[in-house]
Amino acid sequence: MGAAIRQLFAVGNGDATATVTMDLGSPQTFLAWGAITWIDSTATFDRDNAVGIDITHVDGVRTGTALQGGDHLGDPGALKNLHQGAVFRFGRTVTFRLRAFHGEDLNALGYGIAITNP
């Protein structure tokens, strides 16, 4: 069994976004998920703030939408929607995305994690 971890740090103006693509080295079965480990409200944590971590792509193919619409997400089919937070798949690359909505007053730290069984 193998494992891989990648750090993501979302900070900045507007909707702060961090992405990382993890290469598992070869196509294999894996379990991957994202975990938010730190949220820092630098002003008032209120209605315009939100944090999300998801897996947007596996081997370049978009994963399914988990949530859409509302104040922070998009219309059906939009990439800005929240995609799967965890996947059990066969593949080689996994793209994680961490977003801190309204990044003027919110920062976030998270990890993309994958466990493999080559």
Side-chain angles (χ1 to χ4, degrees):
M1 179 172 65
I5 299 172
R6 299 293 183 271
Q7 181 176 288
L8 298 102
F9 186 51
V11 60
N13 295 323
D15 290 342
T17 301
T19 60
V20 64
T21 298
M22 181 184 295
D23 188 336
L24 302 174
S26 64
Q28 54 196 297
T29 301
F30 65 88
L31 171 63
W33 69 96
I36 298 169
T37 57
W38 181 70
I39 298 172
D40 181 19
S41 177
T42 60
T44 302
F45 191 86
D46 56 14
R47 182 71 183 104
D48 65 353
N49 299 124
V51 178
I53 191 166
D54 57 1
I55 298 169
T56 59
H57 295 83
V58 173
D59 289 342
V61 178
R62 279 180 54 188
T63 64
T65 298
L67 294 173
Q68 63 190 20
D71 293 340
H72 302 291
L73 304 175
D75 294 328
L79 182 60
K80 75 181 284 184
N81 291 329
L82 188 69
H83 289 67
Q84 300 301 303
V87 296
F88 180 68
R89 302 263 173 98
F90 183 84
R92 178 176 174 151
T93 62
V94 186
T95 302
F96 297 88
R97 172 177 63 179
L98 173 66
R99 292 180 286 172
F101 296 92
H102 201 242
E104 290 86 356
D105 58 4
L106 183 66
N107 302 321
L109 176 71
Y111 291 89
I113 304 158
I115 296 175
T116 61
N117 188 16

